[in-house]
Structures are given as C-alpha cells and as structure tokens.
Amino acid sequence: MASAAASPARKPAPAMGRPGLSPEQDVALLPVSNPLLLAVGIMTASLIQVLDSTIANVAIPHMQSSLGATSDEVSWVLTSYIVAVAIAMPITGWLADKVGSRRLFIFSVVGFVIASMLCGMAQNITEMVIFRALQGAAGAFISPLSQAAMIDTNKPSRQPQMMALWGMGIMIGPIMGPILGGWLTENWNWRWVFYVNVPLGAIAFAIMAALLPSRPIVRRKFDITGFALVGIMLTSVQLLLDRGNHIDWFESAESWIYLFLAVSTAWMAMIHFTTTKDALFSRSLFADPNFLYAIFFSVSMGVVMFATMALLPTMLQRLFGYGVIDTGEAMMPRGVGTLITMQISGYIMRRGFDPRVLIGTGFVIAAGSLWEMSQWTLQTDYAHIAMSGFVQGLGMGLIFIPMNASAFATLPPHLRTDGSSVLNLARSIGSSVGISIVTTYLARNIQISHSDLATHITNSFVTVIDFSTSDRFPIIGETAVRMIDAEVNRQAAMIAYVNDFYLMMWMTLAVVPFVFLMRRPNLLPPGRGPGKAADEPVDLPH
C-alpha cells in the first residue's frame, strides 16, 4: 500500500521503471521474493476452480449411464456444485480474517483437490452429488482469495498486468472447460474430468506453500444470522434458476416456494445488515456508489458472457455439426480478444484515461458482436463465428480491468477480500440468471418457431413428395415427412438461437447509460493530480 503522499512542492523521485512513483509508493502490501512464480501458483489454483464450473457439463451423459441415474438426478451434479459455491462464498472475508488468508487459500486448494478425487471415485449418484457439493464449498474461496492475493502481493506498478492475467483466467476458463472435458471424456474416461485437477492442484499447492504470505489475523465476530439469511436467499435463487426449466417454472409449487424464500430472506437480510453492528458484510462496502455499480456490471457481465458460452456449444454441435474440438477452436478467439484488450485497457488506464469510457465502449462492442450473431443462419461459416467471438472478447476485456479498478479504488485494503467475494458472487449469480433466461427463451421460441414454420409445409411449398399420394407409399412418405420435420426443427432452433442473441444485445445496450452514472474514480497516485501530463503513468488502486 502506498505510504504518505508526496509533498506537492517536490516531485517524487521515479521508481525503477516506473516514472511518477517514489520507491516508497511502489511497494506491494504483502511483498514476496518471487511474485511472478507466486502468480503462476495463484492462477493455477484459480483456473482449476473456474474450469470445474463448466468442465463437467459435457461428461453428464456419460455419468448418467455409468452411475445409473435419471436425467433429473444427474442434473443435481451441477446444481449441488453451484449451490455450495453460492452458500460458502459470502463468508470468505470472515474466514480469511479468522484463520488467515494464506491458511484459508491453501486449505481451499487441498480441499478442492481431495473433493475432485472423491468425485472421480464416486460409485453412485448420491456420492457424486455429495462430493460435488464438497468440491463447490472448498472451491468457493479460491476465486476471491486469488483476486485479493494478486493485488496484495504485487507492487502498484504491476497490479494492472496481474489483474489482466487473473481476469484472462477467469474468462478463458469457462471457454476451455467444455473443450478439455470433451477431450478427456472421449479419449480417456469421464472420471478424468475430475482427476485432472490433482496434478494441477499439487503444483498450485507447492508454489503457494513456499511463497504465499498472509494477512494478519483479525478478531471478527461471526454474523450467524446474516450468514443464514444470505445462504437461504442464494440457495433459493440458485435452485429456482437451475431447476425452473425442469419443473415448468411457476406452474409448479416448488418454484413458488423458492421465490417466497428468496424474497423474504432478502428483505430480512437488508434490514439485518443495516441495523447490526458486526454484520457479515461491512456497510462500508455498500456505501460506495462505484462499488455498487461494479456489482451491477459484474452481474451484467455474467449474464452476457456465460449465457453466450452456454448457447454456443450446443448450437455449433447440434445445428452446425461441429465436434467438441472444433467447437473449442471456434470459441477460442473470444479468449484471444479478451487477452488483447485487457492488456490495452490496463495500459490506457495507467495513462489517466477515464475508466467509464472504457467500460461503456466495452459494452457497446459486446452488443455489436451480439447483433452480428443475431444475423447468423445455418449457412454461416467458421470465419464469421470465430470473428464474432473475437469481437465480443475485445468488448469483455475492455470492461474487466476498469470495472475492478473503479470498484477497488476507494476500498481500504482490509475490505478487499470481502469486496472480491461480493463481486465474484455477483458474477456467479449473473451467469445463473443469464443461462436460465436464454435456455427458457430458447425452448419456448423453438416451439413457437416450429409451429409457425409447420403451417407453411404444404404441397405448394414442398416438392419432395406429393402428400395426397403418400398413403400409397407409406414407407417413402414417412421417411420424407421425417426429413422435412428434421429440417423444420433445425430452422426453428436456429431462429430461437438468433432471438436469444438479439435479446442479449438489447440487455447489453441497456447497461451502457448506467456506466456514466458512476463517479470517475481517482486512480492517480499520491502527489499527482488531473493536471499532470498525460504521458506520465498513473497507478491503479492498491
């Protein structure tokens, strides 16, 4: 953390490779001997946790047959993980203060690896659901702790690059998950989807055990009431979003129970947090308007990014005939675009550029890519698919670094872990909301589009067979009708996907006006002001 502000009468001496910052200012909050190697360990831990949010999806059919489960039972393999993450993540800050951030981080990685091994060895669906819940509970702490550690262990001049690296892992992980999961399932066995975490987790553990420092342990009372209210609320929301499609939404009493629990506990939690002295989350977090806007933008990013990634694999494989590896290659340019603009946005912000402009531009670019995707047809080629993903990645990369910089600009260091857990939780909720919206909208639009298209299937439009004579050739007629129905299904599905992309485009554009309601954060280091030369680098929050 920066020390005292430099005297305005004398410009501080430049730090090594970092003009405009004195050596005292350009120091990490928790210095380490080899921050680059530690970043590798932190990113490896973060990557296995993010990968597991999507890597198991492609192995679900194989699990179902191997474990003898029904389709409803096997869906709990994903639901149990999501719910466990939602329940555990809010207490990250309290646990980090109670046992120490280093100890919690290392225990989380070890617990995650052990739970992954147990998932790979599961013999029935009950064991699998329990072990996946343990895996989610252990892994819930990894993402917020990794973000806070990347900031704390690097000096201010390197924080933008480290946050870009962390953000790249968070965004690329969900893209690579289905690819890696599909390859392991096809070439080895679905159990290797979980076993692959063991060597990677061992590498992360070895590096962090040797280098990871810890924040001081702080005496902090545990808010059991707040935790219970938040846990029930998040569990109800996640169950509603995850199971809504299976139980026909509000046609089922189960959905109404989830909604009642979510609304009532959310209301009680708001009252509790505003009236309790030692609340689960410090009120200082939510007193900062920029942090509140960052939560909103995190939800929006989760909706756009994860909803798109949930739609594309099924669309490319079912409608375009792509294999698992081909699908991964088509989606990979999204990660490349994200990497490029993350680096660019970090560089631009160090030059004093308004982060609100970058965030707004990123959302507009992402909306433009979704508009391009809404023009797709069944004849769209690989190049257009890859280019649309690349452009969307450019937009997402422009949002991530400025959003996090604005969120943490005015937060004191002791609130970073809490703030990081809230932002990660917001992105997780956004992804659940987005996936739920697009899958429901997709299913309904397929039915509507199929019905509309079917009304036009008459003799005047179809020359394959004369329907009036099909009774004389029943086998040929039945085959022809099936072929026509299959094509109608493909066209109806394509229309439904296009409508989803169009909906997400408008949802993305709707966020843009809120960007300029944010206050422009002061990201300049001590002793610097808005009047300084634009070519003098500035520092991100530390």
Side-chain angles (χ1 to χ4, degrees):
M1 182 177 177
S3 59
S7 170
R10 183 168 57 91
K11 186 175 179 178
M16 183 67 69
R18 189 72 170 92
L21 283 178
S22 68
E24 293 79 11
Q25 292 170 332
D26 200 27
V27 175
L29 178 68
L30 300 174
V32 293
S33 58
N34 194 334
L36 207 55
L37 179 60
L38 178 59
V40 171
I42 292 172
M43 282 306 307
T44 303
S46 184
L47 188 61
I48 60 174
Q49 190 271 332
V50 175
L51 275 174
D52 257 62
S53 63
T54 57
I55 195 173
N57 295 23
V58 295
I60 287 294
H62 300 270
M63 287 185 206
Q64 183 176 348
S65 58
S66 176
L67 300 176
T70 65
S71 59
D72 191 57
E73 288 173 337
V74 81
S75 69
W76 282 97
V77 173
L78 303 178
T79 303
S80 59
Y81 182 88
I82 295 171
V83 170
V85 170
I87 293 173
M89 193 177 289
I91 62 171
T92 305
W94 178 82
L95 272 177
D97 286 343
K98 182 74 175 178
V99 305
S101 57
R102 167 189 163 88
R103 192 175 299 168
L104 179 60
F105 202 166
I106 292 176
F107 282 176
S108 296
V109 172
V110 172
F112 188 83
V113 170
I114 292 173
S116 298
M117 293 173 62
L118 292 173
C119 287
M121 294 185 289
Q123 298 301 307
N124 55 60
I125 191 63
T126 303
E127 290 182 1
M128 175 59 76
V129 171
I130 293 172
F131 296 151
R132 278 287 281 176
L134 292 174
Q135 190 186 37
F141 310 119
I142 293 177
S143 191
L145 286 173
S146 65
Q147 185 178 23
M150 292 286 271
I151 298 174
D152 290 344
T153 58
N154 285 277
K155 58 186 181 179
S157 59
R158 292 191 60 85
Q159 286 175 5
Q161 292 92 331
M162 293 298 104
M163 287 310 300
L165 179 65
W166 183 85
M168 181 185 67
I170 293 297
M171 292 193 171
I172 292 180
I175 297 175
M176 295 300 299
I179 307 167
L180 181 59
W183 186 84
L184 290 170
T185 302
E186 286 185 358
N187 293 279
W188 297 78
N189 185 283
W190 66 264
R191 297 181 186 274
W192 279 95
V193 165
F194 301 105
Y195 289 148
V196 73
N197 291 329
V198 177
L200 295 175
I203 293 171
F205 170 77
I207 294 174
M208 291 194 298
L211 295 174
L212 185 67
S214 181
R215 289 172 172 272
I217 294 177
V218 178
R219 294 184 180 274
R220 183 175 169 187
K221 185 179 178 182
F222 182 57
D223 179 17
I224 184 66
T225 303
F227 172 66
L229 290 172
V230 170
I232 294 172
M233 178 195 70
L234 292 174
T235 301
S236 302
V237 170
Q238 293 287 3
L239 286 172
L240 176 62
L241 294 172
D242 194 61
R243 290 187 49 77
N245 235 13
H246 297 283
I247 58 179
D248 200 20
W249 291 101
F250 295 106
E251 297 298 321
S252 165
E254 184 180 342
S255 292
W256 286 104
I257 293 173
Y258 294 147
L259 181 63
F260 172 76
L261 288 173
V263 172
S264 58
T265 52
W267 176 252
M268 287 188 284
M270 289 175 62
I271 296 173
H272 175 77
F273 288 149
T274 54
T275 57
T276 302
K277 182 180 179 181
D278 298 310
L280 183 64
F281 297 117
S282 171
R283 285 191 288 273
S284 302
L285 278 175
F286 306 102
D288 185 342
N290 275 13
F291 186 79
L292 291 177
Y293 280 116
I295 294 174
F296 173 65
F297 297 143
S298 291
V299 172
S300 303
M301 280 187 66
V303 170
V304 176
M305 181 175 69
F306 286 94
T308 305
M309 289 190 294
L311 288 175
L312 283 176
T314 56
M315 185 192 75
L316 294 177
Q317 292 176 37
R318 294 178 183 176
L319 300 185
F320 289 76
Y322 285 24
V324 174
I325 304 301
D326 295 331
T327 300
E329 290 177 353
M331 294 179 67
M332 200 170 295
R334 186 183 314 273
V336 176
T338 300
L339 173 62
I340 291 172
T341 47
M342 274 188 172
Q343 298 297 328
I344 292 174
S345 62
Y347 176 81
I348 292 176
M349 288 188 64
R350 294 198 303 274
R351 299 282 172 176
F353 198 78
D354 188 346
R356 298 173 301 176
V357 175
L358 292 175
I359 297 172
T361 303
F363 276 115
V364 170
I365 292 174
S369 72
L370 288 166
W371 179 85
E372 171 64 26
M373 293 165 71
S374 71
Q375 310 303 307
W376 285 357
T377 68
L378 289 170
Q379 285 71 47
T380 300
D381 59 17
Y382 175 90
H384 282 85
I385 294 171
M387 183 55 67
S388 295
F390 177 74
V391 172
Q392 190 172 93
L394 293 177
M396 292 292 102
L398 279 179
I399 299 168
F400 193 84
I401 297 296
M403 182 188 71
N404 278 276
S406 300
F408 289 102
T410 52
L411 287 183
H414 72 276
L415 290 178
R416 283 178 185 163
T417 305
D418 273 337
S420 180
S421 66
V422 171
L423 289 180
N424 279 278
L425 184 61
R427 188 174 61 250
S428 176
I429 293 173
S431 68
S432 296
V433 170
I435 292 171
S436 179
I437 289 173
V438 297
T439 51
T440 302
Y441 195 56
L442 180 71
R444 294 186 177 180
N445 270 332
I446 287 177
Q447 294 177 351
I448 294 171
S449 299
H450 186 279
S451 178
D452 291 342
L453 291 173
T455 60
H456 299 286
I457 306 302
T458 63
N459 278 334
S460 59
F461 286 92
V462 180
T463 58
V464 176
I465 184 171
D466 184 354
F467 288 103
S468 63
T469 61
S470 60
D471 58 335
R472 288 183 290 172
F473 308 99
I475 297 178
I476 298 175
E478 184 179 349
T479 302
V481 169
R482 287 180 179 178
M483 291 174 60
I484 294 169
D485 185 59
E487 183 59 27
V488 170
N489 285 332
R490 287 181 71 238
Q491 296 290 344
M494 191 68 225
I495 293 171
Y497 279 111
V498 164
N499 287 342
D500 265 358
F501 296 141
Y502 196 66
L503 172 65
M504 284 191 291
M505 179 199 76
W506 284 111
M507 291 173 66
T508 306
L509 287 175
V511 175
V512 176
F514 292 95
V515 173
F516 296 96
L517 295 178
M518 295 176 69
R519 297 174 184 173
R520 178 173 181 174
N522 180 21
L523 302 180
L524 301 176
R528 292 281 305 278
K532 294 292 181 182
D535 59 348
E536 295 181 13
V538 295
D539 180 36
L540 291 181
H542 52 280

